[in-house]
Amino acid sequence: MRVLVTGGAGYIGSVVTAQLLAEGNEVVVVDDLSTGHRDAVAQGAVFHEFPISGLDPVLGDWDIEAVIHFAAKSLVGESAQNPALYWRNNVVGTVALLDSMHAHGVDRIVFSSSAATYGEAEQQPIREDAPTRPTSPYGASKLAIDLALRDYAEAYSIAAVSLRYFNVAGALHTTGGQSYGERHATETHLIPNALRAAAGAGGPLSLFGTDYPTEDGTCVRDYIHVVDLADAHLRALSAGAPGEHEVINLGSGTGYSVRQVLDAVRLGTGSEVPVVEAPRRAGDPPVLIASNEKAAAVLDWHPTRDLAAMIDDSWRFEQLT
Ligand code: UFG
């Protein structure tokens, strides 16, 4: 299949691009490099540096059969400070992409949605029919596109799948010696920050909140390996039917507290993680765990890599960068 990957120079986009190519697909990557890295685009992909809002004049020339859409702003805290950036990039930009697809007869899309669409869910694990009450402009922007996709799919016979990721971690190390992983200029995620603290780089880890209503007082999250996540995207490419929009959670179905993750980092690296306890971070729900029953039923997808594998693969990647 000939696939357009937007945001293919970013963390998850680069892993999915490498996997698509490994499975024999042709890939065109569009990325404005605002947060991505040119050298993260897998060899063999055609690369174009521009924003998704600039696709319309060229999309018709590329013979694209399907789009996997990652390009987005994705920092929850930044979205609260600068919501306009999130509504413009994530919502206005994506609507422009959908209009270009419709205009040029591209009728298949897999969209990178988020657990942030649910906000503070009342029931765990979270099913796809849970209420969506995002607590940040980031989550609201992802939900807005999920809703737009429902309407575009129905009205314009597009096959659309929204994949709602929980906490993505790990890296891809190929047999050919290439590595793709998380390289954010502003790193907010727990596992890379904990690995850096374990390596003695950048000081101790700030542990945000020790008074949550959880077993050890720290937040519980559902971690999913980026290679398992990529596998779900490849399955989703052929799963959608014209006129239908599916929303599918991607998580392991198991929760780990921040302290449990820090223990796993200590085991994986052989180093203590220096920690300073800090106040709660605004907008962090106490517990987020995915129900992955729908992913199993619709995509025949099952996560195969555990938290230790995520930490090992991220640790290897950290040591390369
Ligand atoms: N945490 C720390 N210290 C850090 C970083 C994180 O204590 O330096 C804690 C957080 O407070 C949270 C947990 O570790 O309790 C996980 O935090 P991450 O930032 O790694 O992940 P989030 O759960 O906040 O974010 C993820 C995705 C977002 C998505 C969100 C939905 O990365 O894109 O889930 O809530 F929006």
Side-chain angles (χ1 to χ4, degrees):
M1 197 183 274
R2 194 166 158 82
V3 184
L4 169 65
V5 176
T6 74
Y11 170 36
I12 301 168
S14 66
V15 173
V16 169
T17 298
Q19 295 289 71
L20 282 167
L21 291 166
E23 303 262 313
N25 298 284
E26 291 176 48
V27 183
V28 179
V29 167
V30 167
D31 196 302
D32 66 3
L33 299 184
S34 58
T35 52
H37 304 272
R38 175 67 185 90
D39 64 0
V41 179
Q43 263 191 17
V46 175
F47 176 69
H48 297 278
E49 182 183 343
F50 53 76
I52 48 171
S53 53
L55 270 167
D56 198 56
V58 286
L59 189 61
D61 301 334
W62 289 352
D63 264 343
I64 297 296
E65 291 163 84
V67 175
I68 307 185
H69 177 37
F70 297 102
K73 297 286 171 198
S74 62
L75 297 173
V76 173
E78 180 186 62
S79 79
Q81 304 298 320
N82 191 355
L85 187 66
Y86 281 70
W87 284 96
R88 196 166 52 241
N89 267 274
N90 295 5
V91 180
V92 178
T94 301
V95 171
L97 167 67
L98 295 178
D99 287 342
S100 303
M101 288 175 59
H102 178 49
H104 297 293
V106 182
D107 59 3
R108 192 163 278 275
I109 182 166
V110 176
F111 173 59
S112 166
S113 186
S114 170
T117 52
Y118 297 112
E120 296 208 17
E122 275 150 24
Q123 288 190 340
Q124 306 288 340
I126 302 172
R127 290 164 43 100
E128 290 80 355
D129 55 8
T132 41
R133 290 185 289 241
T135 51
S136 67
Y138 167 69
S141 74
K142 292 288 176 180
L143 180 60
I145 295 307
D146 287 347
L147 294 172
L149 283 172
R150 181 194 63 189
D151 295 346
Y152 273 65
E154 195 179 319
Y156 307 133
S157 283
I158 288 173
V161 180
S162 290
L163 297 176
R164 289 187 175 159
Y165 316 153
F166 283 64
N167 287 61
V168 187
L172 167 66
H173 302 285
T174 70
T175 47
Q178 305 295 315
S179 292
Y180 304 90
E182 204 163 359
R183 260 200 285 165
H184 298 124
T186 309
E187 188 52 80
T188 62
H189 292 136
L190 176 62
I191 289 177
N193 281 346
L195 290 171
R196 285 171 203 179
L205 177 93
S206 298
L207 196 175
F208 299 129
T210 53
D211 60 348
Y212 283 99
T214 59
E215 212 157 287
D216 66 15
T218 65
C219 287
V220 171
R221 292 289 181 273
D222 180 335
Y223 294 88
I224 173 83
H225 196 295
V226 69
V227 174
D228 283 332
L229 193 84
D231 173 46
H233 286 74
L234 270 63
R235 289 167 185 266
L237 266 187
S238 43
E244 284 178 18
H245 174 227
E246 293 281 6
V247 172
I248 301 174
N249 289 341
L250 294 179
S252 70
T254 306
Y256 291 93
S257 72
V258 174
R259 288 201 197 280
Q260 286 176 318
V261 171
L262 297 181
D263 280 345
V265 168
R266 181 174 47 77
L267 282 175
T269 62
S271 302
E272 284 299 327
V273 183
V275 164
V276 287
E277 294 188 2
R280 292 182 178 196
R281 191 172 68 176
D284 277 345
V287 181
L288 286 173
I289 299 172
S291 158
N292 57 20
E293 282 173 19
K294 187 169 177 187
V298 176
L299 303 178
D300 190 23
W301 176 84
H302 307 273
T304 60
R305 293 163 179 83
D306 63 8
L307 183 63
M310 295 176 220
I311 288 168
D312 281 353
D313 288 334
S314 290
W315 183 230
R316 248 178 94 186
F317 188 76
E318 281 292 326
Q319 286 167 322
L320 293 170
T321 51

